[in-house]
Amino acid sequence: GSHMPTRKKFVAGNWKMNTTLAEAKALGAAVAKGVTDDRVTVAVFPPYPWLTAVGEVLKGSPVALGAQDVSSEKKGAFTGEVSPAMLLETGCKYALIGHSERRHIIGESETFINHKVHTALEEGLSVVLCMGETLAERERGLQERVFQRQVYAACAGLTDEQFGRIVIAYEPVWAIGTGKVATPEQAQEAHAFVRSKLRLLYGDKIADSTPIVYGGSVTPDNTVGLMSQPDVDGALVGGASLKADSFLAIVKAAG
């Protein structure tokens, strides 16, 4: 159909388990200084211990704060967990959920990820939901089956209002930290398929308004090609987000 998408580009920097406190504050400050308008939604995801400090540095700037994970529980006897309410108090607007490193290295299940998505949204956070196939799955031609399972599982039971606070990040696992990047065509194909599943499950409004961003070895050089695709609505940036100039170049290329 002639769906007119009105999706704003979204670019997020996932710092992973990197930075000292001093580096985190300096990086946050440099990103805040470099993002002067809100043409592109920009967010940074520092490690848990630096959230409050980076939040202070971002105050008054258009750059949003996000956490790299969140508990599936609201409060209580869950040693080592961090609740959505705690994240909101540090100034977080977003939480990353289901990043492939947590799925494949930490062993998080689809059910657990769905539980986290519900808890985060109920408590008032917005969610960047990660999905993507492994190299073995792609080589066997199973990627569409994987996307379908991941969309169904992670989004089960969400209301329309909750869907308004979800960004989907497609990250082919074989492209994360490997320097291998999906071609713009591969990314477009994956994003279009995920959007078609959203359309089937949740209708046009949600399918057309949910941003689907690409992650996996994003650099200033490959951003323009990726962003020119009709269903690629931004980027989840790993390594290149640890240097303000390369991250800001990606933000600029997305806008």
Side-chain angles (χ1 to χ4, degrees):
S2 58
H3 306 290
M4 288 306 296
T6 51
R7 297 183 300 272
K8 193 167 151 185
K9 292 278 197 278
F10 177 89
V11 175
N14 176 12
W15 299 358
K16 304 191 182 181
M17 200 168 68
N18 296 298
T19 67
T20 62
L21 176 57
E23 288 164 351
K25 281 159 66 169
L27 182 53
V31 171
K33 186 168 172 247
V35 178
T36 49
D37 58 54
D38 60 357
R39 267 196 324 218
V40 175
T41 302
V42 180
V44 293
F45 292 74
Y48 278 149
W50 314 150
L51 285 172
T52 304
V54 176
E56 288 294 321
V57 167
L58 298 179
K59 269 209 179 92
S61 86
V63 181
L65 185 67
Q68 295 173 24
D69 188 27
V70 62
S71 181
S72 60
E73 302 298 330
K74 292 180 181 177
K75 65 172 189 189
F78 300 100
T79 301
E81 289 289 284
V82 178
S83 72
M86 293 171 188
L87 294 179
L88 286 164
E89 265 203 69
T90 68
C92 279
K93 180 182 176 182
Y94 295 96
L96 274 185
I97 296 181
H99 191 279
S100 74
E101 285 152 8
R102 298 208 63 83
R103 290 177 191 260
H104 298 285
I105 300 169
I106 317 285
E108 294 192 0
S109 71
E110 303 276 8
T111 313
F112 187 51
I113 288 164
N114 177 248
H115 191 167
K116 283 188 178 189
V117 169
H118 276 273
T119 303
L121 292 168
E122 280 161 23
E123 294 285 275
L125 280 168
S126 294
V127 167
V128 179
L129 173 66
C130 303
M131 57 177 56
E133 82 284 16
T134 62
L135 186 58
E137 285 163 341
R138 177 163 280 267
E139 283 173 345
R140 289 165 58 204
L142 297 176
Q143 62 270 27
E144 293 195 340
R145 216 177 286 180
V146 172
F147 306 153
Q148 184 162 325
R149 188 188 73 230
Q150 290 178 339
V151 172
Y152 279 36
C155 301
L158 295 181
T159 65
D160 285 16
E161 182 281 324
Q162 289 175 324
F163 243 107
R165 287 184 286 126
I166 281 197
V167 174
I168 292 176
Y170 165 62
E171 296 201 294
V173 180
W174 47 271
I176 297 174
T178 59
K180 278 185 193 161
V181 64
T183 64
E185 294 71 26
Q186 283 173 322
Q188 169 57 23
E189 203 176 290
H191 287 224
F193 181 83
V194 171
R195 201 176 304 286
S196 73
K197 288 294 144 196
L198 293 178
R199 198 175 302 287
L200 203 66
L201 281 175
Y202 303 106
D204 290 343
K205 188 171 167 284
I206 284 171
D208 289 332
S209 60
T210 303
I212 305 177
V213 305
Y214 172 81
S217 302
V218 179
T219 65
D221 298 332
N222 60 36
T223 302
V224 177
L226 287 162
M227 295 303 145
S228 62
Q229 301 298 318
D231 287 293
V232 179
D233 303 315
L236 180 55
V237 185
S241 73
L242 294 171
K243 290 195 171 66
D245 54 357
S246 61
F247 184 64
L248 290 166
I250 291 169
V251 171
K252 197 171 169 213

